[in-house]
Amino acid sequence: MRYLQVLLFFFLCQNNFAQYITIDESLTPQQLVENVLINNGCASISNVTATGANFATGEKSLGYFNRGSSNFVFQDGIILSTGKVSSAPGPTPPLADSGSGMVWVGDNDLNTILNINSINASVLEFDFVPLGNTISFQYIFASEEYEANTDYPCRFSDAFAFLLKPIGAPNYQNLAIIPNTNIPVKVTTVHPLITANNGCPAQNAQYFDQFNGIQYPTVYGGQTVVLTAQSAVIPGTPYHIKLVIADERDARYDSAIFLKGGSFNLGVDFGDNRTFTNANPVCFNEPVVLDATLPNVVSYQWYFNNVAIPGEINPTLTINPPYTALQNGIYSVDQFYNINCIPRSNITLEFAEPLPIGITEFTECDAVEPQDGIHAFNLTNLIPSIYPTLPTGYQVGFFNATTSTTQLPLNYTNTTPYQQIIYARVLNTQGCYQDIPVTLNVNTFDEFVEDETVYFCNGNTIELDAGSGFISYSWNTVPVQNTQTITVTVGDEYIVTLENATNCFKDKTFNVIESDIASINDIEIVDLSNNNSATVIATGDGDYEYSIDGINFQESKIFENLSFGEYIAYVRDKNGCGIVSREFYIIDYLKFFTPNGDSYNDTWNISNLEKKGLENSKIYIFDRYGKLLKQISPDGFGWDGTFNGKELPSQDFWFILELSNGETVKNHFSLKR
C-alpha cells in the first residue's frame, strides 16, 4: 500500500512544506545533549558521544528536529533513526527505507538487554551527575513498520532502549518500557487490533497513537503516544545513559525515536500519580505530605495546577482532609539549586470524598413462576440508593463476600432464596471505603390466581369478583376501579392487578363474553333418501347446542337417520340466555308394507308431502317389469297391494314421485305377505 501512495507524492510538491518537521544535522552531540535534551544546569554532563550511519552523502542518522508550524506533538528535540534523519519530514510517501546495502553495525548492549541481533544502530550516550533523586524525559517511538491494512505490526519491529546505570555498575536497566511493566516498547508490543491477513490481538493499545495519513508532519507510518522514561537516581552519584535504536533482523523500513527537548528532568520523585484512573486516589481521611527535600536546594516554591501556592516555600507540602473535588489536580514544586537549575517536579493528586451511605436493604418481588424466592436484581439501579452522593467517575462493584475479588454480574440472580447479603465496593479507590453489606429480599405472591372466562346474556350485567384477601385491587377500567368486585355491561378483557400482604402483585384476567339467544334461519332437509337428515342453521352471539326432542342436546347441528314425520328443532344457548325452536318435516315412504288386515302398514303411501305444499304431487307404482299398476294421491288412502282386485304376491315394486315443484324421485319398496 505504501508504494501505491508514492503516486500521490507528486501532487503534494506544491504544498507548503512548513507543515512538516524540519531537521538540522549540524549540531554536535554535546550540543544535542546540553542545549536540547537537558537545557538546564541541573546535572554535570561529560563524555558525550554519538555513533551512527556513514552515508556516502554525508547525511546522519541522528540530529535535531523542530516542528516549525506543523502540529507535531513536540516543539523540538533530538531524533535518532535507523536510517537518514533527513528522510524523517513528511509527507508519508515516499517510504523511509535508507539503511540497506551498507556496513552499519548494531549495538552489543542493545542485543544483551533485548536478546536480539541488531544492525544499523544509532547511539547517543553521556555521563551525568544528578542533583535530584529522579530523572525523566519524554519521547515517542515512530516506525514505517506501523503499516495500516497489513499484518506488519504483528511480525516486524525495530528495537530501541534507554540504558541507565551508575558508572562502574555491571548491568544496565532499560527505561524504554511499557508503564508498570518490564516489556520493551516496540511495534509488536504496542499496536491496536490487527485484522489484515491472519491479524493479531491488540497489544497495549492504549499507548498506540495512530496510523498516519499522507499529510502528517513525519514520514513514518505510525507512532506511540507520548511516553515517559524515568528512574530513581542517587543525588551526586555519577551515571551513564545510553540512548540507542537499531534495526532488528533486516535493514528495511526505518524507525525513529523523538526525544522532547528540555524534558530531561532531574527533580524529585513523588511516586505514582494518585488518581481514580490508577485506582489509588488519596483517601478522604488520609493526610498527604509531599517531600521535596534534597541536598543543595536553596529554596522551594509549590504550585497547584501551575499556579503558585502563596506561602508554600518549605521543602514539604502538607494537605489535610476534608477534601473536595476542587483540590484534584497537579501539584508541583520548583527546587532552586542555582539560577541555571530550577527543576520542576509534578504529581497528580485526586482526592476521594466522604461517601454517605443511604439505603442498604432492597425488597423486590419474585417476577416469574415458580414463586421460589429467586429473582434477578439490576444492581446498577441500586447504586444511587446505596451511595446517594457518588461523584462522577467512581466505579462500584458487588461481591458475595468482603474477601472476594470476583465481581458479581450487574444483572444478578440471588442464589439464597428469599434473602441474601452481598457487598458493594467502590473499585477505583484502593481501600478508601469499607465494603457495604447490601440485603436483597425477595417477596413472593403465593396465592393461587387463575384467569377466568365468563359469559353473560346480552342486555344484562355481570359481576366480576377478584377474590378476597388482597390489600389492593386495580382494574383496567376507565376510570380505574379499586374494589374487589365490579359490574360490567359489555363483553371485553378485564384485568385486575392484585396486591398481596407482601406488597407483590399479580394480574388476574377475566375474559367476559356476551351471549344471546339464537335465531334459527333455516333447517336444511335431506329426505327421501337412505339417510334422511336435518341441519339446523342458527345464528347469534351465543354458544349453542342442538336437540330434536327438547331433552337430549348435542354439539352438532346435524341430525341423521331420521324417519318420516314431524319434528321440532331446538337451539339452546349454553350460557342460559334462552332456547328457540322450529318445526320441520321429513318426507319418506315405507320401505315395505304388509297388507294383511292387521291395521298396521296395510297400505303404502308417501307421507307429509302436504306439509311442504306438495300435496298435488303424483305417485306411480310399477312392477319390476315396468308395468304401471297404480297411480295414487299423496292425500289418499294409499295402495293396498292389489291390481285389478287381485292381491299381488310378495316382491319389490318401483315408484315414481312427480313432485308439484317439477322434481322427480324414483325408488323401490317391498310388499310382504
Side-chain angles (χ1 to χ4, degrees):
M1 177 178 177
R2 182 59 58 85
Y3 294 105
L4 295 177
Q5 291 177 328
V6 173
L7 297 175
L8 298 174
F9 176 73
F10 299 102
F11 297 99
L12 303 174
C13 294
Q14 71 273 26
N15 288 340
N16 182 356
F17 284 92
Q19 63 186 308
Y20 312 124
I21 66 170
T22 60
I23 299 295
D24 184 350
E25 302 176 59
S26 67
L27 275 68
T28 67
Q30 187 84 20
Q31 290 172 322
L32 290 174
V33 172
E34 288 188 342
N35 302 334
V36 178
L37 181 60
I38 297 179
N39 197 25
N40 62 58
C42 293
S44 174
I45 307 299
S46 61
N47 299 323
V48 180
T49 62
T51 58
N54 294 309
F55 292 105
T57 56
E59 294 169 291
K60 297 179 180 179
S61 60
L62 73 163
Y64 169 81
F65 74 86
N66 190 291
R67 74 179 175 200
S69 61
S70 76
N71 62 355
F72 192 61
V73 63
F74 296 148
Q75 175 64 50
D76 68 352
I78 299 171
I79 176 174
L80 287 82
S81 174
T82 62
K84 297 177 180 180
V85 292
S86 60
S87 299
T92 53
L95 180 69
D97 186 16
S98 57
S100 300
M102 60 186 298
V103 177
W104 187 1
V105 298
D107 183 83
N108 290 332
D109 291 325
L110 182 64
N111 294 344
T112 300
I113 202 77
L114 298 184
N115 192 28
I116 63 169
N117 292 314
S118 64
I119 58 174
N120 294 10
S122 294
V123 180
L124 179 64
E125 54 188 324
F126 56 93
D127 297 336
F128 69 97
V129 178
L131 293 178
N133 67 358
T134 184
I135 67 164
S136 66
F137 54 92
Q138 293 180 300
Y139 70 96
I140 64 171
F141 171 60
S143 180
E144 290 284 30
E145 286 164 341
Y146 276 127
E147 278 280 356
N149 304 316
T150 75
D151 64 348
Y152 287 4
C154 303
R155 300 185 291 130
F156 302 111
S157 181
D158 293 333
F160 75 101
F162 303 145
L163 304 177
L164 177 71
K165 67 177 180 178
I167 292 177
N171 299 316
Y172 284 107
Q173 70 173 112
N174 182 17
L175 309 186
I177 55 176
I178 293 167
N180 302 312
T181 75
N182 291 318
I183 302 171
V185 176
K186 302 174 69 174
V187 171
T188 52
T189 62
V190 180
H191 62 70
L193 171 68
I194 303 300
T195 58
N197 298 330
N198 293 325
C200 59
Q203 298 291 328
N204 304 294
Q206 68 271 34
Y207 301 114
F208 177 73
D209 183 12
Q210 65 177 21
F211 292 108
N212 296 325
I214 295 173
Q215 290 299 319
Y216 189 74
T218 73
V219 73
Y220 304 103
Q223 68 275 325
T224 67
V225 298
V226 175
L227 297 169
T228 299
Q230 59 186 354
S231 176
V233 293
I234 301 172
T237 300
Y239 284 85
H240 183 76
I241 190 166
K242 183 176 187 178
L243 314 174
V244 54
I245 185 170
D247 282 319
E248 182 182 353
R249 294 198 297 181
D250 62 55
R252 299 301 310 278
Y253 289 69
D254 294 348
S255 298
I257 306 165
F258 291 88
L259 304 169
K260 182 180 180 181
S263 69
F264 198 89
N265 192 341
L266 297 108
V268 63
D269 182 13
F270 292 126
D272 294 334
N273 290 330
R274 303 283 301 273
T275 65
F276 289 102
T277 300
N278 293 339
N280 65 342
V282 179
C283 292
F284 63 91
N285 56 356
E286 173 191 359
V288 175
V289 179
L290 300 179
D291 190 349
T293 303
L294 283 175
N296 302 317
V297 177
V298 176
S299 63
Y300 302 84
Q301 176 62 60
W302 292 90
Y303 299 84
F304 175 60
N305 289 337
N306 295 319
V307 177
I309 304 174
E312 293 295 346
I313 57 174
N314 294 315
T316 60
L317 175 67
T318 301
I319 311 169
N320 289 310
Y323 303 121
T324 70
L326 296 177
Q327 292 172 271
N328 296 344
I330 301 173
Y331 290 81
S332 311
V333 63
D334 283 349
Q335 297 164 298
F336 292 83
Y337 288 93
N338 55 59
I339 194 171
N340 295 316
C341 179
I342 311 173
R344 176 170 292 188
S345 302
N346 305 315
I347 186 171
T348 299
L349 299 180
E350 294 177 349
F351 298 90
E353 302 176 35
L355 289 182
I357 304 303
I359 299 171
T360 60
E361 184 168 358
F362 300 89
T363 299
E364 296 186 9
C365 292
D366 196 339
V368 296
E369 298 294 339
Q371 295 286 289
D372 55 6
I374 301 298
H375 175 68
F377 288 84
N378 186 330
L379 300 182
T380 301
N381 293 341
L382 308 186
I383 294 174
S385 297
I386 301 170
Y387 301 103
T389 61
L390 189 72
T392 301
Y394 281 51
Q395 300 169 11
V396 176
F398 293 87
F399 301 82
N400 60 13
T402 57
T403 56
S404 175
T405 58
T406 302
Q407 287 192 58
L408 299 175
L410 292 177
N411 187 17
Y412 174 68
T413 300
N414 58 304
T415 56
T416 302
Y418 306 110
Q419 186 179 82
Q420 184 168 351
I421 296 176
I422 61 175
Y423 296 86
R425 181 182 304 165
V426 180
L427 300 175
N428 53 341
T429 57
Q430 268 191 8
C432 288
Y433 307 102
Q434 292 182 342
D435 289 356
I436 303 302
V438 176
T439 302
L440 303 179
N441 297 312
V442 181
N443 288 344
T444 57
F445 195 116
D446 296 320
E447 294 83 352
F448 178 73
V449 173
E450 185 176 25
D451 294 340
E452 295 183 33
T453 298
V454 296
Y455 299 85
F456 76 107
C457 298
N458 196 359
N460 295 332
T461 62
I462 188 172
E463 183 181 78
L464 306 181
D465 189 342
S468 61
F470 302 104
I471 65 174
S472 75
Y473 304 83
S474 180
W475 296 84
N476 67 331
T477 55
V478 179
V480 174
Q481 299 181 70
N482 301 112
T483 55
Q484 176 181 331
T485 62
I486 62 171
T487 300
V488 300
T489 59
V490 295
D492 204 343
E493 182 179 77
Y494 295 88
I495 301 173
V496 57
T497 300
L498 307 171
E499 181 184 6
N500 71 358
T502 65
N503 303 115
C504 291
F505 298 86
K506 186 175 288 188
D507 287 345
K508 177 181 176 68
T509 299
F510 290 87
N511 188 19
V512 178
I513 300 175
E514 294 185 49
S515 197
D516 202 359
I517 192 170
S519 296
I520 298 178
N521 297 334
D522 194 11
I523 299 178
E524 296 177 350
I525 305 297
V526 176
D527 50 10
L528 291 170
S529 71
N530 292 329
N531 179 16
N532 297 327
S533 66
T535 300
V536 181
I537 308 300
T539 58
D541 292 329
D543 186 12
Y544 303 121
E545 54 187 359
Y546 304 85
S547 174
I548 55 174
D549 61 7
I551 299 173
N552 301 300
F553 284 83
Q554 65 183 39
E555 295 288 334
S556 175
K557 59 185 178 181
I558 301 174
F559 298 90
E560 298 182 301
N561 297 313
L562 301 179
S563 59
F564 67 88
E566 180 178 346
Y567 293 87
I568 298 177
Y570 299 90
V571 181
R572 182 171 68 184
D573 178 58
K574 292 181 181 180
N575 302 300
C577 294
I579 186 169
V580 293
S581 62
R582 177 188 286 190
E583 293 182 343
F584 69 93
Y585 301 90
I586 297 295
I587 301 173
D588 208 354
Y589 59 93
L590 291 174
K591 301 302 185 287
F592 64 90
F593 76 111
T594 56
N596 54 13
D598 62 359
S599 299
Y600 185 75
N601 291 340
D602 283 337
T603 61
W604 182 91
N605 205 343
I606 297 176
S607 303
N608 294 329
L609 286 171
E610 75 281 2
K611 303 294 186 181
K612 295 186 177 182
L614 300 174
E615 61 273 11
N616 295 324
S617 300
K618 298 177 180 180
I619 303 171
Y620 302 93
I621 299 173
F622 302 86
D623 64 13
R624 60 183 178 177
Y625 301 108
K627 179 180 177 180
L628 178 64
L629 302 178
K630 186 72 172 180
Q631 177 183 350
I632 60 177
S633 172
D635 58 355
F637 175 74
W639 183 48
D640 60 2
T642 63
F643 179 68
N644 291 331
K646 181 180 178 181
E647 292 182 349
L648 297 177
S650 298
Q651 60 180 334
D652 284 349
F653 295 88
W654 294 84
F655 71 88
I656 295 176
L657 170 62
E658 292 181 351
L659 296 171
S660 57
N661 62 7
E663 296 180 11
T664 299
V665 178
K666 297 180 181 181
N667 218 315
H668 63 90
F669 61 94
S670 297
L671 185 154
K672 296 182 179 180
R673 292 193 182 274

